[in-house]
Amino acid sequence: MVKFKEMKYQRPDPEALKAALAALVEKLKGAESYAEAKAVFLEKEAQVKRIQTQSTLASVRHSIDTRDEFYDAESKFWNATYPELQEYTQAWTAAMLDSPFRKDFEEEYGDLMFVNAEIELKTFDPKIIPQLQKENELTQEYEKLLASAQIPFEGKVYTLSQLTPFKTGADDAKRLAAWKAEGQWYKDNQQELDRLYDELTHLRDEMGKALGYEGYTTLGYYRMGRNCYDKNDVEKFRAAVQKYLVPVADKIYRQQAQRLGVAYPLSFADAALEFRTGNPRPVGTPDDILKAGRDFYDELSPETSEFFRTMLEGELLDVLSTEGKQSGGYCTSIPDYNVPFIFANFNGTQGDVEVVTHEAGHAFAAWMNRDRVPMEYVWPGMEACEVHSMSMEFFGESHAEGFFGPDARKFLYSHLAGAITFIPYGTMVDHFQHEVYAHPEMTPRERHDIWKRMLGVYMPWLKLDGDIPFYSDGEGWQRQHHIYSSPFYYIDYCLAQTVALQFWALIQKDKKDAWERYMAYTKQGGSRVFTELLKNAGLESPFEEACLRGVCAAADKTLSGFDLGGIE
């Protein structure tokens, strides 16, 4: 097979791409039979695959080393080119919607591609091309700023990712010093972080208004491809989180304060330490973690075994934390090669193992659906995609000892507790963005004040003292990439975590049945909307209050009775 480093990148001629797309539109309009129209449709699929392959190769290689001048230039090229191509892809979309063979397409491929196409048409007009290009530039500036971080700590210099393990260390003074060092870097770059987000907020508001909306929120939902729920559904979910989840999460942190022997509410630095002897750490080197991952996937199913071995053989995981590397982690697809790719920053924390389960959960779903037509059916909506990844994390618990050795029990408690405590945070990220885009005129300070107020609602276990000004002043949201680069994405994690907790509960009862439901969910790819994917796999919708109430009660019961004997 072709390894990632052997995949050839070549910048295409944008004018040739535009001409090719325009010609395909005319061929589709001129088709005299469904057979002709389908042939043009498949030709367009191949063209899009080629475009996405080249843009993805440029993007991934740039994120691996943001200092690489060649791929930095290529990323800028794609940032400018994609908005220009959108005019031509929208012309194709309009031609498909108007095609006399639409019913034939729906019969063969389902109607979701047309539902999504109608939403897509609401997101673009050629007049917003300059704003889209500027949005890409600003987002890239933010990513490069974070990747450039050089943080002095205890006589050495670290990137943001490399500093992370110290932020969860068992030594109180050292841990607090790490939080302060990180916070100071953000404070030192406060002006630039405020400027970037202020420009992005106004830019997005302008785009929304240019397309005839009240501002950005409606456009943001359309850009996220939301096709089976709206803002009202999210507000109901938010209310259920405050009602059922925040109290359970608060109980977890009260018990944590007791375990640690610290005051409640906790400081940000103390909230990051779950056990007095330290948080669960994976055993071995990054290679050892990947080998443990291979053992897990070999045992889970024949499909997962073939998938993960392909990832390893093709060198389709880039997981070491290196200088100049973009922070965070993600999974993407390289369509022409029919493979996914995983990007991460291993740093010696339990997050390394969660990469092998979480990002590989995404990758496995793409692998299972790699031959789908149309290509857009490979992936479902973002919230549905996150179910693949977050649920795979719970299946990975069966190999806790292989990943964590003596810290296995710590991990099992931490992972379930973390799933519960994450949802209030993630919901707050979404709520914050709704406030920002409803009031784009706010000053940076007013935005910080909103975040600080919301911390009291969603995360009352945190003490807003002055130890780390960046956090206590309500500026901690600026660490969250999605707020800058993918507005309104973050609620998807919360909806998916709620579904993943259903899988956790099913695994406790009957792992075989749970896996069969997981496969039933995953094999549908993106051919159905989120709520239908769930229904077809026998799962409850997170928008039903009973769903959140149920998973909260089950998790609370397990955590309350969890045997932490011998663990300090």
Side-chain angles (χ1 to χ4, degrees):
M1 69 176 295
V2 180
K3 295 186 176 182
F4 177 70
K5 64 187 175 191
E6 297 163 348
M7 294 177 185
K8 188 180 177 186
Y9 173 76
Q10 186 172 4
R11 180 193 285 194
D13 175 357
E15 295 311 311
L17 289 181
K18 292 173 192 174
L21 290 168
L24 285 167
V25 171
E26 293 310 309
K27 280 172 77 174
L28 179 66
K29 287 179 178 176
E32 294 182 359
S33 67
Y34 175 57
E36 276 186 53
K38 180 181 170 182
V40 181
F41 168 73
L42 294 175
E43 198 180 333
K44 160 72 164 41
E45 283 280 298
Q47 175 74 282
V48 171
K49 276 190 172 187
R50 286 192 293 273
I51 293 170
Q52 287 195 9
T53 296
Q54 294 307 308
S55 67
T56 299
L57 286 173
S59 172
V60 170
R61 287 171 179 161
H62 176 252
S63 60
I64 288 170
D65 187 358
T66 58
R67 303 165 305 178
D68 185 307
E69 291 182 9
F70 175 79
Y71 282 112
D72 185 52
E74 293 313 292
S75 282
K76 286 174 181 168
F77 163 78
W78 286 106
N79 283 344
T81 300
Y82 255 123
E84 292 175 3
L85 293 180
Q86 208 168 332
E87 183 176 353
Y88 296 84
T89 57
Q90 289 262 328
W92 169 268
T93 300
M96 279 291 286
L97 287 168
D98 291 339
S99 172
F101 308 108
R102 176 168 169 172
K103 277 198 167 69
D104 299 283
F105 277 114
E106 287 180 343
E107 196 173 309
E108 183 164 359
Y109 299 111
D111 67 347
L112 185 56
M113 59 190 277
F114 290 99
V115 171
N116 290 339
E118 284 167 352
I119 291 173
E120 186 191 329
L121 279 184
K122 297 174 180 178
T123 67
F124 179 78
D125 186 283
K127 64 189 174 190
I128 68 166
I129 288 175
Q131 286 106 316
L132 289 168
Q133 291 172 325
K134 182 66 175 174
E135 181 185 33
N136 287 340
E137 286 173 20
L138 291 168
T139 299
Q140 190 171 333
E141 276 187 63
Y142 171 75
E143 294 291 356
K144 284 189 77 174
L145 176 62
L146 264 57
S148 73
Q150 295 285 285
I151 304 169
F153 181 68
E154 296 196 327
K156 293 184 180 177
V157 176
Y158 297 90
T159 65
L160 286 164
S161 180
Q162 290 166 345
L163 188 69
T164 302
F166 300 108
K167 290 176 62 192
T168 57
D171 182 299
D172 289 349
K174 192 171 183 177
R175 187 176 67 259
L176 178 59
W179 277 80
K180 285 182 174 179
E182 180 211 49
Q184 189 58 52
W185 181 85
Y186 279 101
K187 272 290 190 186
D188 291 344
N189 290 275
Q190 185 82 66
Q191 198 171 346
E192 185 68 356
L193 289 162
D194 282 343
R195 177 191 70 80
L196 288 167
Y197 194 64
D198 200 55
E199 285 191 38
L200 281 165
T201 301
H202 289 294
L203 194 66
R204 288 168 179 153
D205 182 61
E206 286 167 21
M207 285 195 281
K209 285 172 178 165
L211 293 177
Y213 307 123
E214 81 298 330
Y216 182 70
T217 304
T218 299
L219 174 58
Y221 269 60
Y222 287 146
R223 286 176 79 179
M224 285 301 299
R226 303 261 154 85
N227 52 21
C228 63
Y229 62 94
D230 59 21
K231 193 159 75 88
N232 294 327
D233 295 307
V234 171
E235 285 171 4
K236 285 178 199 166
F237 178 80
R238 197 185 290 158
V241 167
Q242 291 180 26
K243 183 176 179 181
Y244 298 110
L245 243 159
V246 170
V248 177
D250 189 62
K251 184 176 170 184
I252 290 168
Y253 279 106
R254 284 178 186 275
Q255 290 170 347
Q256 182 173 322
Q258 199 173 2
R259 268 199 315 277
L260 297 178
V262 298
Y264 173 95
L266 297 94
S267 71
F268 282 85
D270 286 340
L273 181 69
E274 292 179 272
F275 301 97
R276 179 44 67 195
T277 50
N279 289 2
R281 302 277 182 188
V283 290
T285 63
D287 280 342
D288 292 329
I289 292 170
L290 292 176
K291 283 174 188 167
R294 185 190 64 199
D295 292 343
F296 159 56
Y297 287 113
D298 279 349
E299 186 183 294
L300 187 58
S301 76
E303 295 92 343
T304 51
S305 176
E306 182 193 1
F307 147 72
F308 202 68
R309 285 176 176 272
T310 299
M311 296 293 289
L312 293 173
E313 286 163 21
E315 298 174 3
L316 296 164
L317 301 102
D318 190 292
V319 298
L320 297 180
S321 183
T322 52
E323 275 196 37
K325 191 173 186 180
Q326 184 179 303
S327 56
Y330 62 77
C331 170
T332 188
S333 279
I334 309 172
D336 275 347
Y337 297 92
N338 255 10
V339 291
F341 184 90
I342 292 173
F343 170 96
N345 281 272
F346 276 14
N347 52 25
T349 67
Q350 75 181 62
D352 296 355
V353 173
E354 285 157 6
V355 165
V356 174
T357 51
H358 182 103
E359 299 303 344
H362 286 308
F364 176 64
W367 170 261
M368 287 300 297
N369 291 280
R370 61 194 183 279
D371 295 320
R372 275 197 178 272
V373 179
M375 193 174 71
E376 70 177 82
Y377 285 3
V378 170
W379 301 97
M382 296 295 192
E383 67 292 291
C385 282
E386 296 302 340
V387 172
H388 301 137
S389 53
M390 291 178 153
S391 303
M392 188 66 88
E393 289 183 36
F394 284 117
F395 284 102
E397 287 188 347
S398 63
H399 273 249
E401 287 199 14
F403 286 121
F404 289 95
D407 276 359
R409 266 198 308 145
K410 273 187 185 179
F411 167 71
L412 291 172
Y413 177 88
S414 166
H415 190 222
L416 180 57
I420 291 292
T421 58
F422 164 75
I423 296 176
Y425 169 75
T427 306
M428 177 172 69
V429 168
D430 182 74
H431 193 171
F432 171 73
Q433 291 178 91
H434 277 85
E435 291 295 320
V436 165
Y437 291 111
H439 305 283
E441 74 285 351
M442 282 194 293
T443 64
R445 184 64 256 166
E446 286 170 329
R447 292 188 196 111
H448 300 319
D449 290 342
I450 292 250
W451 181 260
K452 188 170 181 175
R453 176 172 57 76
M454 285 185 179
L455 280 167
V457 175
Y458 289 98
M459 303 177 78
W461 48 84
L462 287 174
K463 178 175 60 174
L464 298 178
D465 58 28
D467 261 2
I468 315 159
F470 171 64
Y471 289 96
S472 59
D473 291 349
E475 294 151 8
W477 62 270
Q478 293 186 314
R479 294 174 62 251
Q480 192 59 63
H481 297 211
H482 303 70
I483 294 177
Y484 283 78
S485 60
S486 307
F488 295 122
Y489 185 161
Y490 223 63
I491 197 66
D492 302 62
Y493 290 114
C494 304
L495 298 172
Q497 188 70 279
T498 306
V499 177
L501 283 163
Q502 286 185 64
F503 274 111
W504 164 78
L506 288 166
I507 290 166
Q508 312 314 305
K509 292 176 187 172
D510 184 342
K511 186 181 175 184
K512 183 173 178 289
D513 172 60
W515 181 249
E516 284 171 2
R517 292 205 209 191
Y518 183 87
M519 288 296 279
Y521 178 84
T522 302
K523 283 179 177 178
Q524 298 173 83
S527 64
R528 300 284 184 274
V529 299
F530 177 48
T531 47
E532 283 180 23
L533 292 173
L534 295 172
K535 188 177 176 183
N536 293 343
L539 298 161
E540 287 184 295
S541 165
F543 297 114
E544 299 296 325
E545 188 173 331
C547 174
L548 206 50
R549 185 173 66 234
V551 295
C552 273
D556 185 28
K557 184 179 177 184
T558 295
L559 291 168
S560 297
F562 198 98
D563 177 17
L564 287 173
I567 298 174
E568 294 178 0

